[in-house]
Amino acid sequence: MRDRRHSLLNAAITATATAAAALTLVPTANAAPGGAAEAPESAPVASAHEAVPAPGGGEQIDVIRQGAPAWNAWRGRHPGVRPDLSGADLRDLDLVAVDLRGADLREAGLLSADLAGADLTGASLPDATLAGADLTHAVLTGADLRGARLTEAELSGARLAQADLAGADLTRAQAGSADLTGADLTGANLSGANLNRADLTGAELKGALLTDTDLNCRGHHVCEVP
């Protein structure tokens, strides 16, 4: 019995040694020239802070058509991107308090859009259509509105300081209490516009049409109120 146990133990030891030797002879997929195994390459992992490419102009238009909350969230994710909405058809959209600072809106169609309280500081809007748009208390400081169509637009309380409105059509626009200090209104059409209590200090009105305009404004020699 003892001899049988001894034989079984020797056989087990021999089998174990043989298996170990076999393992040492199996080459690894990433073996180095000297025989030492290299650690397997790990798959690249995307960083949580990796920049996501900003959508192009067409995609930006799709986002803004979802409304101000979706657009403002998009701007928060792309703070360094200047929005390109040039030529976009954005008529009748509800864009209350939308963030369009510095946006390119050349020749954009904003007919009857609700832009009350919107921030358009430094926006580019030459030849844009804003007829009938609601811009109550909107911020358009330094905006480029050359040749823009603002017929019957609501601009009450809007901030248009240093805005370029040369050649703009403001026929029957409601701009009561608007801030137009330093604005360029050269050649603008203000026929029938309401400028009641608007501040035109330092504004340029050379060649502007003022037929039937409510000039109960202040800060300019054309104003009926000094």
Side-chain angles (χ1 to χ4, degrees):
M1 180 67 71
R2 182 178 298 173
D3 291 340
R4 186 168 179 272
R5 287 179 181 174
H6 185 70
S7 297
L8 291 173
L9 180 59
N10 285 337
I13 292 172
T14 301
T16 302
T18 302
L23 287 172
T24 61
L25 293 173
V26 176
T28 60
N30 295 317
E38 293 181 350
E41 294 183 3
S42 58
V45 179
S47 167
H49 301 288
E50 185 177 347
V52 179
E59 292 174 89
Q60 292 178 31
I61 294 170
D62 291 340
V63 174
I64 198 166
R65 282 177 177 162
Q66 296 172 35
W71 174 259
N72 291 347
W74 179 88
R75 290 218 70 178
R77 293 192 299 272
H78 304 283
V81 176
R82 185 192 181 199
D84 181 3
L85 299 165
S86 53
D89 184 358
L90 306 173
R91 71 182 74 185
D92 298 316
L93 288 184
D94 183 352
L95 297 172
V96 173
V98 72
D99 181 0
L100 288 167
R101 290 171 296 168
D104 184 352
L105 287 153
R106 288 172 294 172
E107 301 181 355
L110 288 153
L111 181 73
S112 300
D114 191 347
L115 291 154
D119 192 346
L120 290 129
T121 303
S124 180
L125 292 140
D127 299 314
T129 299
L130 292 141
D134 188 350
L135 289 151
T136 305
H137 297 296
V139 182
L140 293 124
T141 305
D144 183 355
L145 289 150
R146 290 172 297 168
R149 288 170 285 283
L150 289 146
T151 306
E152 298 182 348
E154 180 57 71
L155 290 158
S156 298
R159 292 160 60 183
L160 290 145
Q162 306 301 322
D164 190 345
L165 288 149
D169 186 356
L170 290 142
T171 305
R172 297 183 300 281
Q174 300 300 309
S177 300
D179 179 5
L180 287 154
T181 57
D184 187 353
L185 289 152
T186 302
N189 187 351
L190 290 153
S191 300
N194 176 14
L195 295 175
N196 183 43
R197 304 175 73 177
D199 189 352
L200 275 75
T201 303
E204 178 58 69
L205 288 159
K206 184 178 181 180
L209 297 178
L210 301 169
T211 306
D212 297 324
T213 303
D214 183 345
L215 292 169
N216 190 31
C217 50
R218 57 191 173 89
H220 198 281
H221 66 83
V222 301
C223 298
E224 298 171 359
V225 177

